[in-house]
Amino acid sequence: MTELIPLYSIKVKCCNCENEFSTSRVRPSLKKAIRRDADFCAYYKNENPDYYVVRVCPNCGFASTENSADKLTERQRKAFNEQVGKRWKSRDFGEKRDWETALETYKLALLCAQSINDKDRIIASLLHHIAWLYRYQGETEQEKRFLRYSLDEYVKVYEIDGIAGNDARLMYLIGELNRRIGEYSVAVMWFSRLINDQKIMDAAMIRAAREQWVILREQMRAEALDVEVDIEGLSSSS
């Protein structure tokens, strides 16, 4: 039986210079994760699909994801060229990527997103993925550094988009990232808000918040912190 080649190529049109180029993706049948961390970081037996999320135009160097805009405005093009594009030396990221190459593409995508003043949610996601890449390598200091950056952006997203709504996943993620960087009291506040908000009907996220609250409580006890936090309903069943 022939072994399935994990990568395949797709054609992408650059949203900056409109050049068409090829980039690799992992086949959908091989994307099943063997496990996931509580902040959704996934681990794979073979090729990691996260390595191929960023598409880099070899012509102009603009790096984006499928969530990016289809076309940049003239102002965005000018800003990108001034801050990133004019220093670009042509490279092709279209083939197989290792960890170092994946990290390079994400950091380039982050620079591009920041240069064009892209959506806070996209910048937050790029920062979060960079933190995951450092986690894969066991580089804890760098991981926490980028978790903090991504957390700041997720909070911005919530302040702009989430307060009037009930974005349970976003609220959970803000709580979990605070837990991971050691901001336990802030994590408690976010998990509590999610669990006790009667408007939120996302049972999976409420359950996840309860599970992480149990872990958080043990962490606080282990570090001899005050765990007498008055949070109605956190320990009860959903």
Side-chain angles (χ1 to χ4, degrees):
M1 186 176 177
T2 305
E3 185 178 354
L4 188 65
I5 298 172
L7 300 179
Y8 68 100
S9 290
I10 61 169
K11 290 285 188 182
V12 177
K13 189 175 183 180
C14 178
C15 58
N16 176 51
C17 71
E18 301 187 4
N19 171 59
E20 189 175 74
F21 61 96
S22 295
T23 190
S24 293
R25 302 288 296 271
V26 174
R27 294 188 184 281
S29 60
L30 300 177
K31 282 186 175 181
K32 188 175 181 181
I34 55 175
R35 68 184 175 92
R36 291 182 190 274
D37 290 337
D39 67 338
F40 313 120
C41 177
Y43 298 80
Y44 300 87
K45 185 177 180 181
N46 298 307
E47 202 73 47
N48 189 334
D50 281 352
Y51 283 14
Y52 301 91
V53 167
V54 177
R55 302 94 60 94
V56 183
C57 176
N59 181 54
C60 70
F62 192 83
S64 62
T65 72
E66 62 184 17
N67 295 319
S68 302
D70 293 331
K71 195 171 184 180
L72 301 187
T73 66
E74 199 56 46
R75 179 180 292 181
Q76 287 176 320
R77 283 197 176 103
K78 185 176 180 181
F80 161 72
N81 187 59
E82 282 297 312
Q83 297 177 47
V84 183
K86 66 182 181 182
R87 295 191 294 274
W88 171 251
K89 295 179 180 177
S90 185
R91 285 191 63 190
D92 190 348
F93 289 93
E95 300 299 324
K96 181 178 173 65
R97 296 176 184 174
D98 56 16
W99 180 86
E100 288 85 359
T101 308
L103 181 64
E104 191 174 352
T105 65
Y106 273 105
K107 288 190 173 180
L108 179 58
L110 178 61
L111 287 173
C112 292
Q114 290 171 331
S115 74
I116 66 169
N117 195 27
D118 212 338
K119 295 176 183 176
D120 293 326
R121 194 178 289 265
I122 288 177
I123 292 173
S125 179
L126 290 169
L127 288 162
H128 199 180
H129 276 79
I130 292 170
W132 290 349
L133 285 172
Y134 282 118
R135 188 181 305 170
Y136 293 144
Q137 296 296 102
E139 296 187 29
T140 307
E141 288 301 314
Q142 285 286 64
E143 178 200 341
K144 286 190 175 181
R145 177 183 166 216
F146 279 92
L147 285 179
R148 285 182 182 276
Y149 293 153
S150 65
L151 179 56
D152 289 343
E153 293 298 322
Y154 281 131
V155 170
K156 275 192 208 173
V157 173
Y158 183 81
E159 288 173 346
I160 295 169
D161 301 332
I163 291 177
N166 59 354
D167 195 334
R169 183 184 172 98
L170 180 59
M171 293 171 70
Y172 166 79
L173 203 48
I174 292 172
E176 175 60 14
L177 295 193
N178 272 294
R179 184 190 71 81
R180 285 180 172 269
I181 64 172
E183 297 290 346
Y184 297 146
S185 60
V186 183
V188 164
M189 181 189 72
W190 282 96
F191 288 146
S192 174
R193 184 182 294 181
L194 170 55
I195 292 166
N196 293 312
D197 190 333
Q198 299 300 312
K199 298 191 299 294
I200 295 176
M201 306 301 289
D202 191 330
M205 286 296 96
I206 292 171
R207 184 169 58 251
R210 291 189 190 282
E211 290 170 355
Q212 293 314 103
W213 163 243
V214 172
I215 292 171
L216 175 57
R217 187 170 54 191
E218 293 305 314
Q219 282 182 296
M220 294 169 80
R221 281 176 177 156
E223 296 184 25
L225 297 175
D226 180 12
V227 294
E228 295 302 318
V229 185
D230 182 18
I231 302 174
E232 181 183 351
L234 271 176
S235 301
S236 62
S237 58
S238 50

PDB file of all heavy atoms in Angstrom, residues 93-119:
ATOM      1  N   PHE A  93       8.686  29.940   0.640  1.00  0.00           N
ATOM      2  CA  PHE A  93       8.310  29.126   1.795  1.00  0.00           C
ATOM      3  C   PHE A  93       7.273  28.058   1.423  1.00  0.00           C
ATOM      4  O   PHE A  93       6.591  27.529   2.284  1.00  0.00           O
ATOM      5  CB  PHE A  93       7.724  30.016   2.896  1.00  0.00           C
ATOM      6  CG  PHE A  93       8.735  30.889   3.587  1.00  0.00           C
ATOM      7  CD1 PHE A  93       8.975  32.188   3.150  1.00  0.00           C
ATOM      8  CD2 PHE A  93       9.441  30.420   4.691  1.00  0.00           C
ATOM      9  CE1 PHE A  93       9.897  32.998   3.791  1.00  0.00           C
ATOM     10  CE2 PHE A  93      10.368  31.225   5.340  1.00  0.00           C
ATOM     11  CZ  PHE A  93      10.595  32.519   4.895  1.00  0.00           C
ATOM     12  N   GLY A  94       7.156  27.770   0.128  1.00  0.00           N
ATOM     13  CA  GLY A  94       6.076  26.923  -0.355  1.00  0.00           C
ATOM     14  C   GLY A  94       6.220  25.435  -0.126  1.00  0.00           C
ATOM     15  O   GLY A  94       5.251  24.689  -0.271  1.00  0.00           O
ATOM     16  N   GLU A  95       7.408  24.984   0.260  1.00  0.00           N
ATOM     17  CA  GLU A  95       7.634  23.545   0.423  1.00  0.00           C
ATOM     18  C   GLU A  95       7.529  23.133   1.896  1.00  0.00           C
ATOM     19  O   GLU A  95       6.997  23.854   2.720  1.00  0.00           O
ATOM     20  CB  GLU A  95       9.020  23.188  -0.139  1.00  0.00           C
ATOM     21  CG  GLU A  95       9.202  23.514  -1.616  1.00  0.00           C
ATOM     22  CD  GLU A  95       8.234  22.777  -2.522  1.00  0.00           C
ATOM     23  OE1 GLU A  95       7.914  21.594  -2.215  1.00  0.00           O
ATOM     24  OE2 GLU A  95       7.768  23.370  -3.515  1.00  0.00           O
ATOM     25  N   LYS A  96       8.063  21.981   2.226  1.00  0.00           N
ATOM     26  CA  LYS A  96       8.031  21.445   3.596  1.00  0.00           C
ATOM     27  C   LYS A  96       8.729  22.410   4.555  1.00  0.00           C
ATOM     28  O   LYS A  96       9.764  22.989   4.226  1.00  0.00           O
ATOM     29  CB  LYS A  96       8.731  20.086   3.620  1.00  0.00           C
ATOM     30  CG  LYS A  96       8.741  19.413   4.988  1.00  0.00           C
ATOM     31  CD  LYS A  96       9.411  18.036   4.894  1.00  0.00           C
ATOM     32  CE  LYS A  96       9.593  17.433   6.284  1.00  0.00           C
ATOM     33  NZ  LYS A  96       8.304  17.140   6.951  1.00  0.00           N
ATOM     34  N   ARG A  97       8.156  22.563   5.747  1.00  0.00           N
ATOM     35  CA  ARG A  97       8.700  23.487   6.735  1.00  0.00           C
ATOM     36  C   ARG A  97       9.111  22.752   8.001  1.00  0.00           C
ATOM     37  O   ARG A  97       8.401  21.855   8.467  1.00  0.00           O
ATOM     38  CB  ARG A  97       7.664  24.560   7.107  1.00  0.00           C
ATOM     39  CG  ARG A  97       7.267  25.467   5.954  1.00  0.00           C
ATOM     40  CD  ARG A  97       6.169  26.436   6.352  1.00  0.00           C
ATOM     41  NE  ARG A  97       5.736  27.244   5.216  1.00  0.00           N
ATOM     42  CZ  ARG A  97       4.711  28.084   5.244  1.00  0.00           C
ATOM     43  NH1 ARG A  97       4.011  28.261   6.367  1.00  0.00           N
ATOM     44  NH2 ARG A  97       4.367  28.769   4.160  1.00  0.00           N
ATOM     45  N   ASP A  98      10.238  23.163   8.557  1.00  0.00           N
ATOM     46  CA  ASP A  98      10.622  22.684   9.880  1.00  0.00           C
ATOM     47  C   ASP A  98      10.200  23.725  10.914  1.00  0.00           C
ATOM     48  O   ASP A  98       9.587  24.740  10.576  1.00  0.00           O
ATOM     49  CB  ASP A  98      12.131  22.391   9.956  1.00  0.00           C
ATOM     50  CG  ASP A  98      12.995  23.591   9.579  1.00  0.00           C
ATOM     51  OD1 ASP A  98      12.467  24.736   9.548  1.00  0.00           O
ATOM     52  OD2 ASP A  98      14.195  23.392   9.308  1.00  0.00           O
ATOM     53  N   TRP A  99      10.543  23.490  12.180  1.00  0.00           N
ATOM     54  CA  TRP A  99      10.117  24.390  13.242  1.00  0.00           C
ATOM     55  C   TRP A  99      10.639  25.810  13.033  1.00  0.00           C
ATOM     56  O   TRP A  99       9.892  26.783  13.183  1.00  0.00           O
ATOM     57  CB  TRP A  99      10.592  23.842  14.595  1.00  0.00           C
ATOM     58  CG  TRP A  99      10.209  24.713  15.755  1.00  0.00           C
ATOM     59  CD1 TRP A  99       9.042  24.689  16.449  1.00  0.00           C
ATOM     60  CD2 TRP A  99      10.999  25.760  16.345  1.00  0.00           C
ATOM     61  NE1 TRP A  99       9.045  25.646  17.444  1.00  0.00           N
ATOM     62  CE2 TRP A  99      10.233  26.311  17.409  1.00  0.00           C
ATOM     63  CE3 TRP A  99      12.271  26.273  16.085  1.00  0.00           C
ATOM     64  CZ2 TRP A  99      10.712  27.361  18.195  1.00  0.00           C
ATOM     65  CZ3 TRP A  99      12.739  27.326  16.870  1.00  0.00           C
ATOM     66  CH2 TRP A  99      11.971  27.850  17.917  1.00  0.00           C
ATOM     67  N   GLU A 100      11.919  25.926  12.686  1.00  0.00           N
ATOM     68  CA  GLU A 100      12.517  27.250  12.513  1.00  0.00           C
ATOM     69  C   GLU A 100      11.833  28.026  11.389  1.00  0.00           C
ATOM     70  O   GLU A 100      11.572  29.226  11.508  1.00  0.00           O
ATOM     71  CB  GLU A 100      14.020  27.127  12.221  1.00  0.00           C
ATOM     72  CG  GLU A 100      14.866  26.710  13.394  1.00  0.00           C
ATOM     73  CD  GLU A 100      14.915  25.190  13.586  1.00  0.00           C
ATOM     74  OE1 GLU A 100      14.263  24.474  12.791  1.00  0.00           O
ATOM     75  OE2 GLU A 100      15.587  24.749  14.533  1.00  0.00           O
ATOM     76  N   THR A 101      11.548  27.325  10.290  1.00  0.00           N
ATOM     77  CA  THR A 101      10.904  27.981   9.156  1.00  0.00           C
ATOM     78  C   THR A 101       9.486  28.406   9.509  1.00  0.00           C
ATOM     79  O   THR A 101       9.042  29.503   9.152  1.00  0.00           O
ATOM     80  CB  THR A 101      10.870  27.037   7.935  1.00  0.00           C
ATOM     81  OG1 THR A 101      12.181  26.541   7.690  1.00  0.00           O
ATOM     82  CG2 THR A 101      10.380  27.765   6.699  1.00  0.00           C
ATOM     83  N   ALA A 102       8.764  27.543  10.218  1.00  0.00           N
ATOM     84  CA  ALA A 102       7.406  27.882  10.648  1.00  0.00           C
ATOM     85  C   ALA A 102       7.418  29.124  11.529  1.00  0.00           C
ATOM     86  O   ALA A 102       6.591  30.033  11.358  1.00  0.00           O
ATOM     87  CB  ALA A 102       6.779  26.704  11.392  1.00  0.00           C
ATOM     88  N   LEU A 103       8.357  29.181  12.472  1.00  0.00           N
ATOM     89  CA  LEU A 103       8.455  30.345  13.355  1.00  0.00           C
ATOM     90  C   LEU A 103       8.742  31.605  12.547  1.00  0.00           C
ATOM     91  O   LEU A 103       8.159  32.665  12.807  1.00  0.00           O
ATOM     92  CB  LEU A 103       9.565  30.113  14.388  1.00  0.00           C
ATOM     93  CG  LEU A 103       9.772  31.232  15.410  1.00  0.00           C
ATOM     94  CD1 LEU A 103       8.538  31.415  16.293  1.00  0.00           C
ATOM     95  CD2 LEU A 103      11.005  30.938  16.290  1.00  0.00           C
ATOM     96  N   GLU A 104       9.610  31.486  11.565  1.00  0.00           N
ATOM     97  CA  GLU A 104       9.947  32.629  10.718  1.00  0.00           C
ATOM     98  C   GLU A 104       8.709  33.151   9.983  1.00  0.00           C
ATOM     99  O   GLU A 104       8.492  34.365   9.886  1.00  0.00           O
ATOM    100  CB  GLU A 104      11.035  32.228   9.716  1.00  0.00           C
ATOM    101  CG  GLU A 104      11.655  33.389   8.972  1.00  0.00           C
ATOM    102  CD  GLU A 104      12.813  32.981   8.093  1.00  0.00           C
ATOM    103  OE1 GLU A 104      13.250  31.810   8.153  1.00  0.00           O
ATOM    104  OE2 GLU A 104      13.278  33.842   7.320  1.00  0.00           O
ATOM    105  N   THR A 105       7.873  32.226   9.476  1.00  0.00           N
ATOM    106  CA  THR A 105       6.679  32.653   8.738  1.00  0.00           C
ATOM    107  C   THR A 105       5.680  33.346   9.667  1.00  0.00           C
ATOM    108  O   THR A 105       5.053  34.336   9.279  1.00  0.00           O
ATOM    109  CB  THR A 105       5.988  31.478   8.028  1.00  0.00           C
ATOM    110  OG1 THR A 105       5.485  30.540   8.975  1.00  0.00           O
ATOM    111  CG2 THR A 105       6.938  30.790   7.058  1.00  0.00           C
ATOM    112  N   TYR A 106       5.533  32.837  10.883  1.00  0.00           N
ATOM    113  CA  TYR A 106       4.603  33.466  11.821  1.00  0.00           C
ATOM    114  C   TYR A 106       5.077  34.857  12.233  1.00  0.00           C
ATOM    115  O   TYR A 106       4.268  35.789  12.343  1.00  0.00           O
ATOM    116  CB  TYR A 106       4.414  32.598  13.067  1.00  0.00           C
ATOM    117  CG  TYR A 106       3.330  31.562  12.924  1.00  0.00           C
ATOM    118  CD1 TYR A 106       3.641  30.214  12.745  1.00  0.00           C
ATOM    119  CD2 TYR A 106       1.983  31.913  12.966  1.00  0.00           C
ATOM    120  CE1 TYR A 106       2.654  29.254  12.608  1.00  0.00           C
ATOM    121  CE2 TYR A 106       0.983  30.963  12.836  1.00  0.00           C
ATOM    122  CZ  TYR A 106       1.323  29.639  12.653  1.00  0.00           C
ATOM    123  OH  TYR A 106       0.337  28.701  12.514  1.00  0.00           O
ATOM    124  N   LYS A 107       6.367  35.001  12.474  1.00  0.00           N
ATOM    125  CA  LYS A 107       6.872  36.321  12.877  1.00  0.00           C
ATOM    126  C   LYS A 107       6.778  37.316  11.726  1.00  0.00           C
ATOM    127  O   LYS A 107       6.500  38.506  11.948  1.00  0.00           O
ATOM    128  CB  LYS A 107       8.298  36.199  13.400  1.00  0.00           C
ATOM    129  CG  LYS A 107       8.340  35.520  14.768  1.00  0.00           C
ATOM    130  CD  LYS A 107       9.706  35.592  15.427  1.00  0.00           C
ATOM    131  CE  LYS A 107       9.649  35.056  16.848  1.00  0.00           C
ATOM    132  NZ  LYS A 107      10.956  35.114  17.536  1.00  0.00           N
ATOM    133  N   LEU A 108       6.961  36.820  10.503  1.00  0.00           N
ATOM    134  CA  LEU A 108       6.785  37.687   9.343  1.00  0.00           C
ATOM    135  C   LEU A 108       5.312  38.093   9.204  1.00  0.00           C
ATOM    136  O   LEU A 108       5.000  39.259   8.951  1.00  0.00           O
ATOM    137  CB  LEU A 108       7.266  36.977   8.072  1.00  0.00           C
ATOM    138  CG  LEU A 108       7.126  37.746   6.757  1.00  0.00           C
ATOM    139  CD1 LEU A 108       7.873  39.082   6.813  1.00  0.00           C
ATOM    140  CD2 LEU A 108       7.632  36.884   5.588  1.00  0.00           C
ATOM    141  N   ALA A 109       4.414  37.134   9.397  1.00  0.00           N
ATOM    142  CA  ALA A 109       2.974  37.437   9.326  1.00  0.00           C
ATOM    143  C   ALA A 109       2.581  38.452  10.395  1.00  0.00           C
ATOM    144  O   ALA A 109       1.740  39.328  10.157  1.00  0.00           O
ATOM    145  CB  ALA A 109       2.165  36.159   9.485  1.00  0.00           C
ATOM    146  N   LEU A 110       3.182  38.341  11.570  1.00  0.00           N
ATOM    147  CA  LEU A 110       2.903  39.284  12.651  1.00  0.00           C
ATOM    148  C   LEU A 110       3.351  40.691  12.256  1.00  0.00           C
ATOM    149  O   LEU A 110       2.607  41.665  12.440  1.00  0.00           O
ATOM    150  CB  LEU A 110       3.618  38.836  13.930  1.00  0.00           C
ATOM    151  CG  LEU A 110       3.471  39.748  15.144  1.00  0.00           C
ATOM    152  CD1 LEU A 110       2.012  39.874  15.572  1.00  0.00           C
ATOM    153  CD2 LEU A 110       4.331  39.219  16.301  1.00  0.00           C
ATOM    154  N   LEU A 111       4.556  40.818  11.698  1.00  0.00           N
ATOM    155  CA  LEU A 111       5.048  42.120  11.244  1.00  0.00           C
ATOM    156  C   LEU A 111       4.127  42.714  10.181  1.00  0.00           C
ATOM    157  O   LEU A 111       3.811  43.908  10.209  1.00  0.00           O
ATOM    158  CB  LEU A 111       6.465  41.985  10.680  1.00  0.00           C
ATOM    159  CG  LEU A 111       7.591  41.765  11.689  1.00  0.00           C
ATOM    160  CD1 LEU A 111       8.896  41.485  10.951  1.00  0.00           C
ATOM    161  CD2 LEU A 111       7.749  42.965  12.605  1.00  0.00           C
ATOM    162  N   CYS A 112       3.685  41.857   9.254  1.00  0.00           N
ATOM    163  CA  CYS A 112       2.794  42.322   8.185  1.00  0.00           C
ATOM    164  C   CYS A 112       1.466  42.792   8.766  1.00  0.00           C
ATOM    165  O   CYS A 112       0.955  43.856   8.393  1.00  0.00           O
ATOM    166  CB  CYS A 112       2.560  41.206   7.168  1.00  0.00           C
ATOM    167  SG  CYS A 112       4.029  40.763   6.201  1.00  0.00           S
ATOM    168  N   ALA A 113       0.893  42.003   9.666  1.00  0.00           N
ATOM    169  CA  ALA A 113      -0.396  42.348  10.268  1.00  0.00           C
ATOM    170  C   ALA A 113      -0.312  43.648  11.048  1.00  0.00           C
ATOM    171  O   ALA A 113      -1.217  44.489  10.993  1.00  0.00           O
ATOM    172  CB  ALA A 113      -0.868  41.206  11.167  1.00  0.00           C
ATOM    173  N   GLN A 114       0.787  43.811  11.774  1.00  0.00           N
ATOM    174  CA  GLN A 114       0.959  45.044  12.547  1.00  0.00           C
ATOM    175  C   GLN A 114       1.158  46.252  11.633  1.00  0.00           C
ATOM    176  O   GLN A 114       0.663  47.344  11.908  1.00  0.00           O
ATOM    177  CB  GLN A 114       2.138  44.894  13.512  1.00  0.00           C
ATOM    178  CG  GLN A 114       1.839  43.918  14.653  1.00  0.00           C
ATOM    179  CD  GLN A 114       3.065  43.593  15.489  1.00  0.00           C
ATOM    180  OE1 GLN A 114       4.205  43.616  14.987  1.00  0.00           O
ATOM    181  NE2 GLN A 114       2.862  43.272  16.758  1.00  0.00           N
ATOM    182  N   SER A 115       1.867  46.037  10.531  1.00  0.00           N
ATOM    183  CA  SER A 115       2.153  47.152   9.612  1.00  0.00           C
ATOM    184  C   SER A 115       0.883  47.689   8.959  1.00  0.00           C
ATOM    185  O   SER A 115       0.771  48.887   8.708  1.00  0.00           O
ATOM    186  CB  SER A 115       3.162  46.723   8.542  1.00  0.00           C
ATOM    187  OG  SER A 115       2.567  45.866   7.578  1.00  0.00           O
ATOM    188  N   ILE A 116      -0.083  46.805   8.674  1.00  0.00           N
ATOM    189  CA  ILE A 116      -1.314  47.243   8.004  1.00  0.00           C
ATOM    190  C   ILE A 116      -2.447  47.499   8.997  1.00  0.00           C
ATOM    191  O   ILE A 116      -3.583  47.738   8.601  1.00  0.00           O
ATOM    192  CB  ILE A 116      -1.766  46.218   6.943  1.00  0.00           C
ATOM    193  CG1 ILE A 116      -2.181  44.900   7.591  1.00  0.00           C
ATOM    194  CG2 ILE A 116      -0.681  46.014   5.892  1.00  0.00           C
ATOM    195  CD1 ILE A 116      -2.895  43.941   6.644  1.00  0.00           C
ATOM    196  N   ASN A 117      -2.118  47.412  10.299  1.00  0.00           N
ATOM    197  CA  ASN A 117      -3.125  47.629  11.344  1.00  0.00           C
ATOM    198  C   ASN A 117      -4.296  46.658  11.189  1.00  0.00           C
ATOM    199  O   ASN A 117      -5.462  47.044  11.165  1.00  0.00           O
ATOM    200  CB  ASN A 117      -3.630  49.074  11.320  1.00  0.00           C
ATOM    201  CG  ASN A 117      -4.383  49.444  12.588  1.00  0.00           C
ATOM    202  OD1 ASN A 117      -4.137  48.871  13.647  1.00  0.00           O
ATOM    203  ND2 ASN A 117      -5.305  50.383  12.480  1.00  0.00           N
ATOM    204  N   ASP A 118      -3.956  45.379  11.078  1.00  0.00           N
ATOM    205  CA  ASP A 118      -4.954  44.321  10.891  1.00  0.00           C
ATOM    206  C   ASP A 118      -5.816  44.163  12.146  1.00  0.00           C
ATOM    207  O   ASP A 118      -5.540  44.755  13.191  1.00  0.00           O
ATOM    208  CB  ASP A 118      -4.263  42.996  10.550  1.00  0.00           C
ATOM    209  CG  ASP A 118      -5.108  42.120   9.634  1.00  0.00           C
ATOM    210  OD1 ASP A 118      -6.338  42.308   9.590  1.00  0.00           O
ATOM    211  OD2 ASP A 118      -4.532  41.236   8.964  1.00  0.00           O
ATOM    212  N   LYS A 119      -6.845  43.337  12.067  1.00  0.00           N
ATOM    213  CA  LYS A 119      -7.762  43.125  13.182  1.00  0.00           C
ATOM    214  C   LYS A 119      -7.018  42.583  14.405  1.00  0.00           C
ATOM    215  O   LYS A 119      -6.118  41.754  14.279  1.00  0.00           O
ATOM    216  CB  LYS A 119      -8.855  42.144  12.776  1.00  0.00           C
ATOM    217  CG  LYS A 119      -9.771  42.653  11.687  1.00  0.00           C
ATOM    218  CD  LYS A 119     -10.757  41.574  11.274  1.00  0.00           C
ATOM    219  CE  LYS A 119     -11.640  42.048  10.124  1.00  0.00           C
ATOM    220  NZ  LYS A 119     -12.534  40.963   9.652  1.00  0.00           N
TER     221      LYS A 119
END
